[in-house]
Amino acid sequence: MTLRIFNTQSGAKEEFQPIEPGKVRLYVCGITAYDYCHIGHARANVVFDVLFRYLKALGYEVTYVRNYTDIDDKIINRANELKVGSRELAERFMAAFAEDMARLGCETPSVEPKATENISHIIAIIRTLIGKGMAYEAGGDVYFSIRDFPGYLKLSKRNLDEMLSGARIAPGEQKRDPMDFALWKAAKPGEPSWESPWGPGRPGWHIECSAMSMRYLGPSIDIHGGGKDLVFPHHENEIAQSEGATGQPFARYWVHNGFVNINQEKMSKSLGNFFTVREVLEKYDPEVLRFFILSAHYRSPIDFSDKNLEDARHGLSRIYEALLGLGEVLDSGAAKPAPEAGFSAEDEEIWQPAERLRENFAAAMDDDFNTAQALGQIFEAVRAVNRVLAERRFEANGAWLRRLAAVRDRFRGCGEVLGLFQAEPASWLERIKDAGLGESGLSKEAIEALIVERKEARKNKNFARADAIRDELAAKGIVLLDSPQGTTWKTK
């Protein structure tokens, strides 16, 4: 199957064909560094991390650029509130962002440029736009003239006349048209500034990304990504100024991830339902948050709630438990030597989801990076593995061991693309178990003592007491798992 990507500009899935065969130029808008990143940032960056990983898995040479906006009105205002320099503030939150993304398992992009390190490139583009009559200087500011770019709003499909009917020019602005946007802002007293042909000032927000994309990836790129909230005005303005300057198409494919809702309401500081990544990771394992993000298609809205995070923790634990079971059979001598034999029709039916995991996973990812469907294929394989392990089929037919070893490799390969289940299973499950203990109020020793007591009660046919112990533990979030090898436990 060929990779197909939903292109925001065309509104349809399109077959992916890079500009240069075998190579992909990917640009994703990064953060404005004035605060800790929130779960909306987490979603966008996990989504594009998986896109980056999958393109590499397909054999492409990918250059992934994700910028930092380290000078902006928000940064200046926050720095003034905290009585620190804007550079110091931006550096602090860029470092915090990098730490958060590392905890979420995101790979470092090929290049992470900063706006302040690209001022000369920004000025060069602005000069080109002025020379072409698409931008104009006014009192030290420079504006892009939207009416001089015929393709304006081709990404967002908005109606310019309708937008202009309600648009106003703010006091102090010297725009010719209310919809014109700033490429360069004249310096105000006390603000950071750089010298330019129009006097001291700093770049507007939109021009930064055009300059950094063109510097590191060239005038035309394959994929430009970001959150759905960036379609207008940010990405619309990027297209206008980039194509206005170069006369070439700016990006072939525009990819935008959906919003994060909190308990079915839009995330907003004003609603008090705004969570930083750090706040979430105080309660949940980073891999659980990543799994939750990937459990929905990237273009769909995703509802953040404790219940959905708990479901994600349970789902991820199921995969790690299957991997643990595989490891116990393949690595620890649990499998006794058995003669090899053929497989029955029932065997083949049971094993098909695991046998075809790689192909089914790739088909899901080729369909616009459908991680939700890809995880569904992994769970189908988990069910097959669990049945083979539970029924100890490998004890009658040693040929099962080769199948189990092969599917473990498939799990790891799929997980590498998703950035999931790469940890040692026993250690990960123990860490999750320890985290759940804090909520139960029980110690490991107390749980083990109750398990011993329950075993004795069952031995003495005191089933009422045995059931009471199970119920007592379940009420505190401790689930008992009985098997021929004994009783183990996990947290809900």
Side-chain angles (χ1 to χ4, degrees), residues 4-17:
R4 294 176 63 80
I5 301 176
F6 184 88
N7 188 348
T8 302
Q9 187 162 323
S10 68
K13 291 180 188 176
E14 301 175 8
E15 181 177 330
F16 179 63
Q17 295 182 332

Side-chain angles (χ1 to χ4, degrees), residues 189-303:
E191 288 187 351
S193 63
W194 290 261
E195 289 301 321
S196 79
W198 318 286
R202 56 187 171 87
W205 176 36
H206 313 298
I207 193 66
E208 297 172 0
C209 284
S210 290
M212 288 182 273
S213 178
M214 285 193 265
R215 178 180 179 183
Y216 294 102
L217 298 173
S220 297
I221 64 175
D222 297 294
I223 302 172
H224 196 309
K228 195 171 288 187
D229 57 316
L230 298 180
V231 174
F232 183 88
H234 187 51
H235 289 166
E236 196 73 73
N237 291 351
E238 276 190 66
I239 291 173
Q241 64 204 9
S242 301
E243 296 186 359
T246 68
Q248 300 179 45
F250 182 41
R252 278 197 173 188
Y253 305 89
W254 287 88
V255 178
H256 295 94
N257 64 274
F259 295 118
V260 175
N261 296 325
I262 308 293
N263 293 317
Q264 300 182 350
E265 286 190 302
K266 185 173 172 18
M267 184 174 66
S268 168
K269 284 186 177 180
S270 62
L271 294 174
N273 63 356
F274 181 89
F275 296 101
T276 67
V277 170
R278 297 188 168 208
E279 289 169 332
V280 175
L281 297 188
E282 288 177 3
K283 187 173 182 181
Y284 294 100
D285 186 88
E287 194 170 345
V288 170
L289 178 56
R290 186 180 179 100
F291 182 92
F292 161 73
I293 289 169
L294 298 178
S295 65
H297 190 279
Y298 77 88
R299 285 190 287 115
S300 303
I302 189 169
D303 190 45

Side-chain angles (χ1 to χ4, degrees), residues 134-153:
M134 292 185 173
Y136 56 92
E137 188 270 339
D141 297 325
V142 181
Y143 295 99
F144 184 89
S145 174
I146 60 160
R147 292 192 179 276
D148 290 304
F149 182 72
Y152 194 63
L153 300 180

Side-chain angles (χ1 to χ4, degrees), residues 8 14 31 37 94-95 120 124-125 206 214 259 286 289 304 309 321 328 354 406:
T8 302
E14 301 175 8
I31 61 162
C37 66
M94 286 188 287
S120 63
I125 295 172
H206 313 298
M214 285 193 265
F259 295 118
L289 178 56
F304 181 92
L309 266 292
E321 286 162 2
E328 288 175 345

Side-chain angles (χ1 to χ4, degrees), residues 254-381:
W254 287 88
V255 178
H256 295 94
N257 64 274
F259 295 118
V260 175
N261 296 325
I262 308 293
N263 293 317
Q264 300 182 350
E265 286 190 302
K266 185 173 172 18
M267 184 174 66
S268 168
K269 284 186 177 180
S270 62
L271 294 174
N273 63 356
F274 181 89
F275 296 101
T276 67
V277 170
R278 297 188 168 208
E279 289 169 332
V280 175
L281 297 188
E282 288 177 3
K283 187 173 182 181
Y284 294 100
D285 186 88
E287 194 170 345
V288 170
L289 178 56
R290 186 180 179 100
F291 182 92
F292 161 73
I293 289 169
L294 298 178
S295 65
H297 190 279
Y298 77 88
R299 285 190 287 115
S300 303
I302 189 169
D303 190 45
F304 181 92
S305 67
D306 282 335
K307 180 185 181 304
N308 289 343
L309 266 292
E310 294 293 348
D311 288 345
R313 179 159 60 186
H314 175 68
L316 186 55
S317 295
R318 281 179 57 204
I319 297 172
Y320 269 115
E321 286 162 2
L323 289 169
L324 179 63
L326 281 169
E328 288 175 345
V329 168
L330 294 170
D331 303 332
S332 64
K336 299 175 183 178
E340 295 197 2
F343 296 101
S344 67
E346 181 189 38
D347 290 336
E348 298 297 352
E349 183 179 355
I350 291 169
W351 197 242
Q352 188 179 34
E355 188 73 27
R356 293 185 52 80
L357 174 57
R358 186 176 287 116
E359 294 88 342
N360 293 341
F361 178 87
M365 293 299 292
D366 282 344
D367 185 17
D368 192 31
F369 310 104
N370 193 336
T371 56
Q373 183 63 40
L375 285 171
Q377 297 299 331
I378 290 171
F379 280 117
E380 289 291 332

